[in-house]
Amino acid sequence: GVLAAYQTQNELRRRNVIDDEFFPYGAFASESYSIGLNHRNKGWKILRFRAADRLATQHADLHIRDPSGALLIRASARLRLASLGRPWLVWCALGDFRRACEIREKIGGTSSSIGEAMVGRGLAEFALSRLIGFRRRQALNIVREGVHNLEAIVTRDNAGFVVSAKRKFADALE
């Protein structure tokens, strides 16, 4: 499957058949993150989220004009790792989410793409509020605004992000 394809492409990259610039680090980061979400074993989750973090970092380093997508994946992986016993990573995740928001606003991203970043930022701020005990209302307002921005234009390409954002918002409210 996907992991076998990753290993094959990585071997081709090591042999200089594929340039780093064209290696799909972002796609594999997203896939690794998704595998981590769907696994029951905590150790395996940690392994997959750490891989997503590394791959997203490599993608961001190669795409300096707009690394926002990679930053969102990395931030999401770090937020999951924080919930798995590494609470200090909440601050790293929050920094990446904030940076992704700034980049998307600066380059004139759609309200939907900005909304996606805002949802992540709000969830990271909410996770932080659980650690330090304040700013919950502001964090939830950011998530709510991000969901609203995502809903502004629903297409086949972003429908999954809208559903995911609403699910994350509902989970935060529990």
Side-chain angles (χ1 to χ4, degrees):
V2 173
L3 293 178
Y6 169 72
Q7 296 300 332
T8 300
Q9 289 188 347
N10 204 26
E11 183 61 28
L12 290 171
R13 184 187 59 78
R14 276 196 291 268
R15 293 180 186 188
N16 293 321
V17 177
I18 299 175
D19 291 331
D20 272 355
E21 180 182 352
F22 301 109
F23 189 78
Y25 290 111
F28 286 123
S30 180
E31 185 66 27
S32 188
Y33 177 78
S34 295
I35 291 169
L37 285 178
N38 293 310
H39 208 282
R40 292 184 180 147
N41 181 281
K42 180 180 176 181
W44 184 254
K45 284 180 174 291
I46 291 170
L47 183 71
R48 295 292 63 181
F49 293 140
R50 288 178 69 199
D53 182 332
R54 284 190 309 275
L55 290 163
T57 298
Q58 289 176 293
H59 185 86
D61 290 346
L62 290 170
H63 297 87
I64 56 174
R65 190 186 92 61
D66 181 11
S68 63
L71 292 173
L72 292 176
I73 295 168
R74 183 171 75 184
S76 296
R78 289 176 174 179
L79 201 54
R80 293 291 178 166
L81 287 166
S83 72
L84 292 169
R86 293 159 173 80
W88 60 89
L89 289 175
V90 170
W91 282 271
C92 297
L94 181 55
D96 281 346
F97 281 126
R98 284 179 174 162
R99 186 164 167 232
C101 283
E102 290 168 4
I103 290 168
R104 289 186 172 186
E105 288 171 358
K106 181 179 177 181
I107 65 171
T110 65
S111 64
S112 182
S113 71
I114 293 168
E116 177 191 7
M118 288 177 71
V119 167
R121 177 183 159 204
L123 291 171
E125 288 193 17
F126 188 73
L128 182 60
S129 76
R130 288 183 169 164
L131 294 173
I132 60 176
F134 69 95
R135 291 188 48 91
R136 287 183 183 183
R137 186 169 293 139
Q138 291 102 331
L140 290 176
N141 285 338
I142 292 169
V143 176
R144 188 176 288 113
E145 185 180 348
V147 169
H148 177 74
N149 285 351
L150 271 167
E151 290 176 321
I153 303 172
V154 179
T155 65
R156 280 188 308 196
D157 295 335
N158 77 344
F161 291 107
V162 174
V163 171
S164 176
K166 286 182 174 185
R167 188 178 323 118
K168 289 175 183 178
F169 185 48
D171 289 346
L173 293 173
E174 289 182 349

